[in-house]
Amino acid sequence: MASRRYNIKDISLAAKGRQRIDWAFREMPVLGLIRKRFAREKPLAGISFAGCAHITTETANLAITLKAGGAKVTLTASNPLSTDDSVTAALVKEHGMSVYAVKGESVAVYNKSLLDALEARPQLIMDDGGDLISAVLTKRPELAKNVIGAAEETTTGVIRLQNMEREGVLRFPIFAVNSADTKHLFDNRYGTGQSTIDGITRATNILWAGKKVVVCGYGWTGRGIAMRARGMGARVIVIEVEPVRALEAVMEGYEVMPLLEAAKIGDIFITVTGDKKVIDKHHLAVMKDGAIMANSGHFDVEIDIPSLEALSRSKRRIRESVDEYTLKDGRSLYLLGEGRLINLAAAEGHPASVMDMSFANQALCAEYMVKHRGKLAIKVNPVPEEIDKEVARLKLKAMGVAIDKLTAEQKKYLSSWQEGT
Ligand SMILES: NC(=O)c1ccc[n+]([C@@H]2O[C@H](COP(=O)([O-])OP(=O)(O)OC[C@H]3O[C@@H](n4cnc5c(N)ncnc54)[C@H](O)[C@@H]3O)[C@@H](O)[C@H]2O)c1
């Protein structure tokens, strides 16, 4: 058994946490509507829910919504640096939830917290990166039979789960929330785009205008970061390995080149590939004195930190989220947020308005899994289209945006083939 129902930094931060959670909720109207309905209908009555997530004000609002629906909520961090300690205090003190997360915790505590969260014997799981699901399958396999289903929040987690499916180790149904259009088209692009720039700015206070910014990975997050860096006046270089995406970046007006060339000229490097050793010792060897590196991909493996350490003669922390590495050849390179996702390590993650949509998908998927328990395929399932469309409809409504409808004649035309030139 977990020795305590929670492990948080300081419960006296609860009032501050509540204010911050309420502030975020103002920008989460879709989740607000779902919360009202959940409070009435109790679709999750008695369900044990465990979430492995960045414990931010937005995650708190999802957790409160699930509790309103009747769930017993347990949360654990999905990254050692992404927890808001005032939020964990409010969730424990004012909402009676079990929370195991402290900003800056060690990897050992992080891993123990995953196991502590599993003591709740979850029937529903929400994961962000696949660590909690992995912990069930590898460390507490006997719990798998209790699990009605799990929903995965991010690209890296979905890739890990698809690999589990391929290897035949999945034991319960998964919903890939990241794959919903109302998630990745908005959260990954506009959320990561804005909050990554925010994190790097807060960490360094640099001026973006005129800087050469190298964005590694032109997926949904890379598109957002490149777009926002350009908007700040930076000269953006994109690095890709997929020809179609590289071509898209070229036609969008970015410079595209191999990282070994960009390494020599970049001022700021941002990795968002979901891959490992994207910036490795060969790139580190040719970077300019003073180059800054940050990662916004899920794990801290995109920048080869062991190689950076090996090339360095000393390292010191010069600002809260800035480590200066002095290399043996005399150059200084700067690593932000220990190579962990910078938008959460040095800022607050995505703005609430975009998490409104991601977490509306999470809440509706939780309800869907309970409603269809026992009938869901044990594989990585897409978010049902009706949920995706409903989230978009509600968000437009909340934003006061009306759209047109197809006429009966247009519907017929679009589903026929007979009419032509
Ligand atoms: N920081 C955040 O808040 C946040 C939010 C959403 C997603 N993520 C994470 O960001 C990462 C990227 O997510 P995404 O949705 O953009 O994924 P994506 O699959 O859409 O894009 C990743 C891109 O990186 C490219 N790539 C892979 N290896 C590369 C390499 N060695 N060099 C250059 N390019 C390479 C791929 O070809 C692909 O185009 C994932 O780890 C995801 O979990 C973080």
Side-chain angles (χ1 to χ4, degrees), residues 154-156 183 187-188 192 216-222 239-242 245 272-275 278 296-298 302 341 343-344 350:
T154 198
T155 317
T156 282
K183 199 283 184 181
D187 167 317
N188 299 31
T192 316
C216 303
Y218 196 66
W220 291 109
T221 52
I239 311 301
E240 246 302 336
V241 291
E242 270 289 321
R245 289 194 161 174
V272 258
T273 65
D275 198 357
V278 176
S296 225
H298 190 76
E302 303 212 11
L341 2 82
N343 60 332
L344 284 140
H350 296 0

Side-chain angles (χ1 to χ4, degrees), residues 88-162:
T88 56
L91 291 177
V92 168
K93 187 164 178 202
E94 305 194 359
H95 298 278
M97 294 180 192
S98 295
V99 184
Y100 303 94
V102 177
K103 181 162 182 157
E105 66 197 14
S106 65
V107 172
V109 170
Y110 173 87
N111 285 326
K112 177 172 184 303
S113 298
L114 294 170
L115 297 177
D116 285 343
L118 291 180
E119 292 298 335
R121 309 183 77 79
Q123 295 161 285
L124 284 182
I125 291 177
M126 171 177 82
D127 216 342
D128 189 334
D131 280 351
L132 191 58
I133 295 168
S134 215
V136 173
L137 297 177
T138 58
K139 303 208 171 94
R140 297 291 308 272
E142 79 285 4
L143 296 179
K145 62 180 181 307
N146 301 334
V147 180
I148 297 168
E152 169 55 52
E153 174 75 7
T154 198
T155 317
T156 282
V158 171
I159 291 170
R160 288 178 83 188
L161 292 161
Q162 283 165 340

Side-chain angles (χ1 to χ4, degrees), residues 25 49 89 102 131 140 143 172 183 195 222 250 252 259 269 349 393 395:
F25 193 54
F49 172 96
V102 177
D131 280 351
R140 297 291 308 272
L143 296 179
F172 40 79
K183 199 283 184 181
S195 61
V250 172
E252 207 41 54
L259 183 52
F269 295 82
R393 245 191 317 269
K395 189 70 176 176

Side-chain angles (χ1 to χ4, degrees), residues 146-418:
N146 301 334
V147 180
I148 297 168
E152 169 55 52
E153 174 75 7
T154 198
T155 317
T156 282
V158 171
I159 291 170
R160 288 178 83 188
L161 292 161
Q162 283 165 340
N163 294 341
M164 287 180 198
E165 180 185 337
R166 212 185 44 247
E167 289 184 17
V169 297
L170 272 189
R171 302 273 306 280
F172 40 79
I174 306 287
F175 280 82
V177 166
N178 185 69
S179 311
D181 285 346
T182 48
K183 199 283 184 181
H184 68 271
L185 293 180
F186 301 89
D187 167 317
N188 299 31
R189 184 164 37 171
Y190 303 110
T192 316
Q194 177 171 322
S195 61
T196 298
I197 301 294
D198 183 18
I200 296 172
T201 308
R202 289 198 209 190
T204 60
N205 198 27
I206 49 128
L207 179 75
W208 290 85
K211 292 280 192 311
K212 283 212 165 110
V213 173
V214 180
V215 179
C216 303
Y218 196 66
W220 291 109
T221 52
R223 289 178 174 112
I225 295 168
M227 171 173 70
R228 292 300 179 240
R230 178 157 72 183
M232 301 290 278
R235 293 179 283 170
V236 177
I237 299 168
V238 168
I239 311 301
E240 246 302 336
V241 291
E242 270 289 321
V244 175
R245 289 194 161 174
L247 186 59
E248 225 186 315
V250 172
M251 297 231 181
E252 207 41 54
Y254 300 114
E255 277 201 66
V256 175
M257 61 180 77
L259 183 52
L260 211 47
E261 275 176 43
K264 297 177 200 150
I265 54 177
D267 299 306
I268 302 170
F269 295 82
I270 307 169
T271 53
V272 258
T273 65
D275 198 357
K276 71 191 287 198
K277 290 192 183 172
V278 176
I279 296 182
D280 72 8
K281 60 182 178 199
H282 305 290
H283 310 114
L284 295 169
V286 296
M287 280 183 184
K288 289 194 303 193
D289 180 36
I292 293 172
M293 290 172 279
N295 168 53
S296 225
H298 190 76
F299 288 120
D300 62 344
V301 295
E302 303 212 11
I303 300 166
D304 183 0
I305 301 172
S307 285
L308 181 58
E309 305 258 348
L311 285 169
S312 301
R313 75 170 124 84
S314 63
K315 168 186 168 185
R316 60 183 181 136
R317 179 145 300 182
I318 54 168
R319 286 167 65 96
E320 202 179 323
S321 301
V322 184
D323 287 329
E324 179 186 60
Y325 285 82
T326 304
L327 275 64
K328 291 171 188 156
D329 61 16
R331 286 174 301 140
S332 293
L333 298 180
Y334 297 93
L335 179 67
L336 308 188
E338 300 173 16
R340 296 196 182 276
L341 2 82
I342 193 61
N343 60 332
L344 284 140
E348 297 172 57
H350 296 0
S353 177
V354 85
M355 292 315 293
D356 190 27
M357 296 156 73
S358 308
F359 285 164
N361 274 294
Q362 285 285 0
L364 295 178
C365 276
E367 179 183 38
Y368 185 91
M369 287 190 274
V370 172
K371 235 185 221 163
H372 297 87
R373 66 201 290 178
K375 294 184 212 131
L376 301 166
I378 300 185
K379 65 180 186 96
V380 179
N381 298 280
V383 170
E385 199 184 331
E386 68 262 26
I387 292 183
D388 213 352
K389 289 263 190 300
E390 176 70 357
V391 172
R393 245 191 317 269
L394 292 174
K395 189 70 176 176
L396 282 170
K397 195 166 170 220
M399 294 170 91
V401 177
I403 60 170
D404 285 343
K405 282 200 172 76
L406 291 174
T407 63
E409 186 186 1
Q410 287 169 336
K411 269 192 200 159
K412 189 164 169 237
Y413 175 73
L414 291 173
S415 56
S416 69
W417 56 270
Q418 288 87 352

